[in-house]
Amino acid sequence: MQVEQFTKTESGQWLLSEHKGEDSKLSLKFIDFEIILADLYDKVNFDLGMRILLST
């Protein structure tokens, strides 16, 4: 599992951060929010997505 996070810096540039692995933590500092990727994807059925991709 992976999340790509884009954050705008004070200079107006976009900064890419990649979070990989179920123990990785995604932080949204402006709203004081953190979540572990395993929790973020808790209800996602990855097997179903693969079956759909393979059937097309």
Side-chain angles (χ1 to χ4, degrees):
M1 63 187 57
Q2 175 180 337
V3 168
E4 293 179 350
Q5 179 183 19
F6 290 87
T7 308
K8 198 169 188 180
T9 65
E10 290 181 15
S11 65
Q13 299 291 319
W14 287 99
L15 175 66
L16 169 62
S17 301
E18 294 184 68
H19 308 279
K20 297 180 182 180
E22 62 184 33
D23 294 329
S24 184
K25 188 186 306 181
L26 173 68
S27 298
L28 304 176
K29 296 176 185 177
F30 294 108
I31 60 171
D32 194 28
F33 176 80
E34 291 183 342
I35 191 166
I36 295 171
L37 295 192
D39 292 338
L40 180 67
Y41 285 107
D42 182 46
K43 303 287 188 220
V44 176
N45 184 344
F46 290 103
D47 292 331
L48 176 61
M50 287 304 295
R51 283 185 284 186
I52 292 170
L53 286 174
L54 294 174
S55 68
T56 58

